[in-house]
């Protein structure tokens, strides 16, 4: 009798697992994948259908399972992204390694922009799940959790390489628009933590990255502005010089023989 009851319980559990996978997780996972991979061929269900499925899934007691599966899917995506970014940096050749860092920053910028859009879509579609956790488990927001995942699994591993490259590279090695977007997005996903840690560099691209100024800070601020202006002039002169030298090398006719200068 006991064995029969145990078998019936196992059967009901298996049925519940199958129902969850078939009716809830499979279509919801497709939606998550579509947000994370916007260029893929995955066909997500509509926002209304997604919201309804999440509502039913939570109502039937699958909230913890759904939350866990969602986090695992996003974590898997971030781990794959980590590997792709790391591949850009794995080179023994110094010149190739420098190019790899630039390539990594471009990839990082695109991935971060896409991820922020994906998080907004996922958070809106799964808002009832986030609301449930906020009410029952002293939970902040789903958007906070997902953005902080990017910081812990991606940004923390590459932030120093990115900032070092930005600081040391000649002007216009990276497009100003890219840098502005990248630093703003880093400020967003870190909830301004990176701006506080690397305030001077972030202040070049993000307004209000520096703490509020007081009267006694005025002299030091003026000195910093003068130093920054001098640095910008040096970088501008260096860029003009390198551009002129590059133009001469590309067009030998620009180089006049010594006797023509008499």
């Amino acid at each position: 009798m006991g064995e029969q009851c145990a078998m019936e319980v196992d059967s009901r559990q298996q049925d519940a697992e199958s129902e969850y996978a078939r009716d809830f997780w499979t279509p919801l996972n497709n939606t998550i994948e579509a947000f994370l991979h916007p260029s893929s061929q995955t066909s997500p269900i509509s926002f209304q259908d997604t919201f309804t499925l999440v509502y039913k899934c939570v109502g039937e007691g699958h909230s913890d399972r759904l939350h866990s599966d969602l986090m695992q899917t996003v974590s898997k995506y971030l781990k794959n992204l980590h590997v792709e970014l790391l591949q850009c940096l794995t080179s023994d050749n110094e010149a190739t390694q420098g190019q790899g860092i630039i390539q990594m920053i471009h990839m990082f910028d695109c991935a971060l922009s896409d991820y922020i859009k994906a998080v907004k879509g996922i958070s809106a579609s799964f808002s009832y799940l986030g609301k449930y956790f906020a009410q029952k488990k002293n939970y902040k927001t789903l958007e906070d959790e997902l953005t902080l995942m990017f910081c812990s699994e991606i940004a923390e591993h590459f932030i120093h390489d990115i900032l070092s490259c930005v600081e040391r590279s000649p002007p216009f090695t990276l497009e100003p628009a890219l840098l502005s977007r990248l630093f703003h997005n880093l400020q967003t996903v870190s909830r301004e933590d990176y701006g506080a840690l690397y305030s001077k560099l972030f202040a070049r691209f993000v307004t209000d990255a520096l703490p509020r100024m007081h009267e006694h800070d005025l002299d030091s601020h003026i000195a910093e502005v003068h130093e920054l202006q001098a640095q910008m002039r040096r970088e501008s002169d260096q860029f003009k010089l390198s551009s002129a030298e590059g133009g001469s090398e590309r067009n030998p006719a620009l180089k006049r023989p010594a006797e023509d200068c008499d």
Side-chain angles (χ1 to χ4, degrees), residues 26-39:
T26 297
L28 291 175
N29 185 51
N30 287 339
T31 298
I32 297 168
E33 292 288 352
F35 279 123
L36 294 173
H37 304 278
S39 60

Side-chain angles (χ1 to χ4, degrees), residues 70-107:
L70 169 60
M71 294 299 114
Q72 287 181 16
T73 297
V74 176
S75 180
K76 180 181 177 182
Y77 164 79
L78 292 174
K79 283 180 170 58
N80 290 335
L81 175 60
H82 183 277
V83 172
E84 292 177 7
L85 292 169
L86 200 59
Q87 288 175 346
C88 297
L89 303 179
T90 54
S91 174
D92 296 330
N93 186 292
E94 187 173 343
T96 306
Q97 192 175 50
Q99 295 173 357
I101 293 176
I102 300 298
Q103 182 184 356
M104 182 273 288
I105 293 176
H106 278 273
M107 184 184 298

Side-chain angles (χ1 to χ4, degrees), residues 25 59 67 69 82 87-88 90 98 104 132 173 183 212-213 224 257-258 260:
W25 178 241
H67 179 267
D69 286 342
H82 183 277
Q87 288 175 346
C88 297
T90 54
M104 182 273 288
Y132 171 84
T173 301
F183 276 82
R212 289 187 176 183
M213 186 180 301
E224 288 178 3
D260 291 347

Side-chain angles (χ1 to χ4, degrees), residues 247-257:
S248 298
E249 291 176 358
R250 288 191 298 270
N251 189 357
L254 295 177
K255 294 183 177 181
R256 298 173 58 192

Side-chain angles (χ1 to χ4, degrees), residues 168-179:
R168 298 174 184 176
S169 297
F172 304 107
T173 301
L174 292 161
E175 300 87 343
L178 181 150
L179 291 173

